[in-house]
Amino acid sequence: MSDADGADSNDDGSSGAFGAAIERGEDVPLLTGDGQYTDDISLPGTTHLAIRRSDHAHARLESVDTSAAEAMDGVVAVFTGEDVVESGVPNTIPTAWDLPGLVQPQYRMLATDKVRHEGTAVAAVVAETPHAAHDALERISVEYEPLEHVTDPVEAVERDVPPVHDEAEDNVAFDFELGDSDATDEAFADADRVTSVDLRQPRIIPNAMEPRAALADWEETTEKLRLWMTSQNPHLHRMLLSAGTLGLPENRIQVIAPEVGGGFGSKIYHYPDEAVTAWCSMQLGRPVKWQATRSESYLTDCHGRDHVTTGEIALDDDGTIRGVRVETHAGLGAQLSQFGTATPSYLYATILSGQYAIPAIHCRVVGAFTNTTPVDAYRGAGRAEGIYVIERLVDVGARELEMDPAELRRRNLIQPDEFPFETAAALVYDSGEYERAMDVALEHVDYDELRERQDELREEGRYLGIGVANFVESAGLSPSGLAGDLGAQAGGWESSIVRFDSTGSVTILAGTADQGQGHRTTYAQIAAEELGLSVDDIDVVEGDTDRIPQGMGTYGSRSASVGGGSIARGAREVREKARRIAAHQLETPVDDLEFEDGEFHVTGAPDRSLHIQTIAHEAYLGHDLPEGMDPGLEETNFYDPENFTYPFGTHVAVVEVEPETGEIEIERYVAVDDCGEIINPMIVEGQVHGGIAQGIGAALYEGAAYDDEGHLETRRMDEYAVPHSTQLPEFETDSTVTPSPHNPIGVKGVGESATIAATPTMVSAVVDALEPFDVDHLDMPITPESVWRATEGDR
Ligand code: MCN
């Protein structure tokens, strides 16, 4: 393990837990039905909330008549936006990321003046049963004055349409630039060739297994709100709910995230629905539960992507990339979600250098309001969109130069001795051995031989495609000062407590919040390694703001590096306190003690030893501690890393495309990922598998569609295509290990890597297969129909 963080590394105390493919301890309760999700929790007297949503994309709200609904059996109360306003709570759903010149319109719990996208919350019914609440929704009479709507981000700013918000007449929420435009112009003027691609990255809808849910319990006597919810970041939810929305201090709110069945970004955000659940409980003094239906999730969970982009690349004839210029219209939806501003700006434009040493980059992003569901970070957020652009540009550049696309990539890779590497897009990459990972991936498929086979098959009228994509991503946004400089209303740190109890077992209280990533296993591995224990000695607790003092949550592939980094630091501090107790009791200088398998022993006298679990007992007895030392054995750690981590890798897909039918068969998919030191290879492989599936989903299947009325057409599982396991090949995974030099355990994130890599890889493969048809690019999702249409001209 690397150790560049000041604390001593676990030099001789290695338990072997770090790096082992240990099975996920959390899976037994989850697979046997013992896992407790929000909807499984019931309190005496629980009522049920259903939300009436607008079926108009854009309309003035004329009136909301709730009388018939109120009169129904089992209905406890019906509330409108006016009721929320009258209650006097702050009633804002705040954005958490400011940008220069950002237009920040009001965002209320329930609409009062206009509805701005289909699905806008208009009224709330609380009833004794879920069925009574849903039945009553039908009896609310809402009158609208329909307004012209717009769903496309380019049309929103270029066509003469009524603004989504009066504050932004042209529907522009922000106009963002990054990079040096003069230097980029010069690079383009000097380059031998310039080529470009117009592309769309369609709207993606997250498909977590568990739809969002909340259970709120306002206790009148203590004036305390307990809120169970499907949260990726309970402390952030507590913060956003407290001041901006409900007007409560944080210590009056407890947010609990029990088991959460997947998030992929969609459960980061502070939506009106959970806030309304809490507010209703405060009004009624009774527990209130809201469980989204699947269609409600499609309509209201933040969508991802929605970019329309023109990218240009300037190249010399020898393949040197001289510059990249990108202009994007990013759809933000009807309201600003918390990180909806950061995702298409800082998280996107900064990664446009990819793995390449590109001297000049300029990117402009126009963030546009549209009459659609808000858009925010979806797995890969910003980085996925950026890597897609640069990888597509490299592919079209290779076509322009008639050069092998892998060769063009290779010629521009940042070399290992150039790290830390400052890109022209404002990031400083920590470490990387890009060519090594690329070589491993290409060797797996025997690239040169594969190209020969491709030529042979073309002779036979068969179309094999080989897609290669390199990616790097910025995971674990930090340090906090930088986040603040860029406009974030949250920090990049993470916090944890490592606590021995008097029986020698350990509890880790972590500020992150798992939704399936396996934190309970990997965090136990980190602590076991540092403390010389077995993972069975360690319990991991996440997702409760009353038990865990602080935290930032799980998103942006930050938990292993920032959360795990904090745990490692805390465990090292605990170990050092234990060492001082051991030295005192063994009557030996601290420096004379060695640590192995949890045992401190005097150098050269192994029989004079004390186990760290015995010391824990002593620490809580407090009878015989060094002079001035406080009893107990626990540490609270806040870790604010000095930089992001930059995972990377190369993915290769081999497909065969049948132009007559448009069918795409994936023959092989090889993923070589480098996420630094690997805590648990089995979990990392699982993350890579899931990520590839989602990337292939985006490339070949997924995409939200709106009809001419601005209604979401893809609002059910049989209307929104995600790949089935039978449509996916066996994934072949491999890894290289390039530790992050500044992270205490040398890890980099992995949770989003494969999603980022898989989309350009798949598109590259299909387009490569269609080279004989002069197809340079196809937009996602590449369906059999789009393949058939693209090749039709040749029939
Ligand atoms: N890990 C490891 N070795 C490393 C890096 C990570 O063993 N070098 C382990 C970690 O300890 C953790 C897992 O891999 O158990 C993912 O770690 P990390 O990359 O830090 O990502 P996070 O835990 O912060 O998870 C967030 C990331 C994101 S942003 C999305 S979106 C996503 C993803 O994880 N959503 C998921 N993976 C998901 N997996 C599941 N099952 N469900 C989701 O909703």
Side-chain angles (χ1 to χ4, degrees):
M1 239 186 293
S2 67
D3 176 28
D5 204 60
D8 289 339
S9 70
N10 190 9
D11 42 8
D12 51 0
S14 172
S15 75
F18 192 109
I22 295 171
E23 282 186 15
R24 292 165 38 121
E26 49 265 76
D27 284 352
V28 176
L30 295 179
L31 293 172
T32 54
D34 277 349
Q36 229 191 14
Y37 294 83
T38 300
D39 196 38
D40 294 325
I41 300 162
S42 216
L43 302 173
T46 296
T47 59
H48 298 268
L49 169 70
I51 297 173
R52 173 68 185 254
R53 301 187 180 279
S54 138
D55 40 22
H56 287 267
H58 197 192
R60 214 174 292 286
L61 203 53
E62 298 280 288
S63 66
V64 185
D65 182 354
T66 59
S67 51
E70 276 163 18
M72 287 178 74
D73 277 351
V75 170
V76 177
V78 185
F79 298 109
T80 66
E82 297 301 338
D83 295 321
V84 183
V85 172
E86 277 166 29
S87 74
V89 296
N91 189 16
T92 58
I93 304 293
T95 174
W97 202 300
D98 202 2
L99 286 181
L102 179 69
V103 178
Q104 291 196 48
Q106 242 175 24
Y107 191 4
R108 299 288 199 206
M109 283 194 256
L110 294 175
T112 48
D113 56 344
K114 277 185 188 171
V115 294
R116 295 182 168 84
H117 70 96
E118 189 196 15
T120 306
V122 168
V125 176
V126 182
E128 297 294 351
T129 66
H131 292 117
H134 281 275
D135 284 350
L137 289 185
E138 307 298 321
R139 305 294 293 273
I140 299 172
S141 169
V142 187
E143 280 182 33
Y144 299 98
E145 181 201 330
L147 298 167
E148 197 185 341
H149 69 275
V150 63
T151 56
D152 179 87
V154 179
E155 279 186 30
V157 297
E158 288 183 0
R159 220 183 72 198
D160 187 21
V161 287
V164 179
H165 296 277
D166 296 341
E167 299 91 320
E169 272 180 32
D170 50 3
N171 283 322
V172 173
F174 62 81
D175 195 338
F176 171 89
E177 276 189 74
L178 188 122
D180 187 332
S181 97
D182 292 341
T184 308
D185 289 349
E186 266 174 47
F188 272 72
D190 290 350
D192 294 335
R193 289 153 192 260
V194 170
T195 185
S196 68
V197 65
D198 291 325
L199 52 88
R200 278 180 175 261
Q201 302 198 53
R203 221 169 233 276
I204 303 287
I205 306 184
N207 270 270
M209 281 209 285
E210 182 199 17
R212 282 188 293 124
L215 168 64
D217 184 23
W218 172 251
E219 201 172 75
E220 298 272 10
T221 45
T222 56
E223 296 197 330
K224 177 133 186 178
L225 175 73
R226 277 190 302 162
L227 182 64
W228 289 262
M229 63 185 285
T230 46
S231 171
Q232 294 183 219
N233 31 243
H235 296 86
L236 261 184
H237 273 124
R238 178 178 68 174
M239 184 179 92
L240 293 164
L241 262 174
S242 64
T245 310
L246 298 176
L248 292 171
E250 283 195 17
N251 66 1
R252 288 272 168 275
I253 303 179
Q254 178 184 11
V255 175
I256 306 158
E259 297 296 352
V260 177
F264 311 111
S266 67
K267 292 169 181 167
I268 301 172
Y269 316 116
H270 176 41
Y271 296 91
D273 315 301
E274 290 86 342
V276 169
T277 312
W279 179 85
C280 287
S281 179
M282 290 170 72
Q283 301 308 299
L284 300 170
R286 287 183 65 178
V288 177
K289 185 188 278 187
W290 171 73
Q291 171 64 68
T293 64
R294 180 60 65 181
S295 290
E296 229 175 349
S297 290
Y298 279 109
L299 213 51
T300 64
D301 285 7
C302 279
H303 295 174
R305 322 293 194 237
D306 202 18
H307 280 204
V308 183
T309 297
T310 298
E312 294 170 282
I313 187 165
L315 295 151
D316 281 346
D317 288 336
D318 65 359
T320 306
I321 304 176
R322 301 288 302 274
V324 161
R325 191 155 49 202
V326 174
E327 179 145 343
T328 292
H329 282 75
L332 305 174
Q335 301 285 358
L336 293 180
S337 173
Q338 282 70 48
F339 301 99
T341 51
T343 300
S345 56
Y346 288 116
L347 293 181
Y348 168 66
T350 51
I351 207 70
L352 285 167
S353 199
Q355 293 192 357
Y356 314 111
I358 304 174
I361 296 176
H362 183 256
C363 176
R364 177 178 174 220
V365 183
V366 175
F369 289 116
T370 57
N371 296 110
T372 58
T373 301
V375 180
D376 206 325
Y378 166 77
R379 198 173 192 173
R383 285 97 7 110
E385 295 90 310
I387 290 297
Y388 183 70
V389 172
I390 181 64
E391 289 303 288
R392 291 307 305 132
L393 279 173
V394 174
D395 271 358
V396 296
R399 283 275 175 97
E400 169 74 23
L401 295 169
E402 296 181 9
M403 188 182 280
D404 179 273
E407 179 57 25
L408 178 54
R409 285 179 166 81
R410 190 185 294 283
R411 288 189 190 186
N412 289 281
L413 291 175
I414 299 164
Q415 296 302 314
D417 60 0
E418 293 180 279
F419 290 91
F421 184 87
E422 186 169 355
T423 72
L427 291 181
V428 181
Y429 294 169
D430 56 352
S431 60
E433 288 204 43
Y434 299 155
E435 194 160 11
R436 181 159 63 121
M438 191 171 161
D439 283 340
V440 174
L442 297 183
E443 276 160 25
H444 266 282
V445 293
D446 209 339
Y447 187 73
D448 294 336
E449 206 169 280
L450 200 57
R451 284 282 174 208
E452 284 169 23
R453 193 174 139 228
Q454 181 182 43
D455 289 340
E456 285 160 21
L457 287 176
R458 280 185 186 168
E459 299 284 311
E460 298 169 24
R462 287 175 61 189
Y463 300 97
L464 196 76
I466 306 156
V468 178
N470 289 337
F471 81 96
V472 59
E473 73 124 326
S474 47
L477 194 167
S478 49
S480 300
L482 172 74
D485 289 346
L486 302 183
Q489 305 297 313
W493 50 266
E494 196 43 81
S495 156
S496 64
I497 294 176
V498 176
R499 176 183 293 157
F500 266 99
D501 57 40
S502 67
T503 66
S505 54
V506 174
T507 302
I508 291 168
L509 303 157
T512 49
D514 184 280
Q515 321 108 55
Q517 288 88 350
H519 293 171
R520 267 163 272 179
T521 303
T522 47
Y523 286 174
Q525 288 179 260
I526 295 170
E529 180 80 24
E530 299 293 341
L531 300 171
L533 299 177
S534 151
V535 288
D536 297 333
D537 293 318
I538 294 158
D539 195 20
V540 176
V541 179
E542 289 184 302
D544 184 338
T545 58
D546 269 15
R547 287 190 73 188
I548 302 140
Q550 280 300 345
M552 277 291 141
T554 289
Y555 46 83
S557 303
R558 67 191 301 277
S559 304
S561 59
V562 194
S566 168
I567 291 164
R569 286 162 46 114
R572 289 172 193 181
E573 284 169 23
V574 163
R575 194 178 68 213
E576 291 320 299
K577 181 171 180 183
R579 188 191 296 272
R580 293 205 302 281
I581 297 172
H584 169 76
Q585 297 201 350
L586 293 168
E587 296 177 347
T588 191
V590 168
D591 292 345
D592 279 1
L593 285 179
E594 288 175 26
F595 185 64
E596 199 176 347
D597 292 337
E599 199 91 33
F600 290 100
H601 63 81
V602 180
T603 309
D607 53 322
R608 288 182 61 208
S609 68
L610 270 175
H611 197 274
I612 194 165
Q613 290 175 305
T614 310
I615 297 167
H617 186 71
E618 297 288 326
Y620 286 99
L621 287 178
H623 295 168
D624 185 19
L625 299 180
E627 181 81 30
M629 180 184 277
D630 294 328
L633 194 54
E634 76 166 57
E635 289 296 336
T636 301
N637 183 273
F638 278 76
Y639 172 46
D640 197 1
E642 66 191 60
N643 194 354
F644 294 82
T645 65
Y646 294 91
F648 64 90
T650 298
H651 287 204
V652 184
V654 184
V655 302
E656 186 167 353
V657 179
E658 169 56 75
E660 291 295 325
T661 60
E663 241 170 89
I664 300 160
E665 196 197 313
I666 309 171
E667 202 173 276
R668 289 184 74 181
Y669 193 99
V670 171
V672 177
D673 282 84
D674 192 319
C675 58
E677 301 285 359
I678 296 172
I679 305 164
N680 184 324
M682 197 193 299
I683 285 181
V684 164
E685 196 182 2
Q687 287 293 311
V688 171
H689 279 206
I692 298 171
Q694 280 178 307
I696 292 179
L700 304 185
Y701 299 99
E702 300 187 38
Y706 284 90
D707 70 13
D708 291 345
E709 303 296 313
H711 293 146
L712 184 68
E713 288 181 311
T714 45
R715 60 172 69 205
R716 297 189 341 194
M717 281 199 148
D718 57 356
E719 293 166 340
Y720 184 88
V722 292
H724 297 182
S725 59
T726 51
Q727 292 161 323
L728 298 171
E730 288 286 323
F731 303 137
E732 300 163 58
T733 58
D734 204 341
S735 55
T736 58
V737 175
T738 312
S740 175
H742 61 75
N743 180 284
I745 45 178
V747 303
K748 302 182 175 192
V750 78
E752 295 162 288
S753 295
T755 312
I756 294 169
T759 34
T761 306
M762 285 309 301
V763 173
S764 174
V766 177
V767 172
D768 183 63
L770 300 178
E771 191 188 5
F773 298 89
D774 286 332
V775 175
D776 281 343
H777 174 72
L778 283 178
D779 271 333
M780 300 184 286
I782 306 182
T783 61
E785 183 184 341
S786 57
V787 170
W788 185 81
R789 287 193 187 286
T791 56
E792 198 174 27
D794 282 63
R795 263 184 270 279

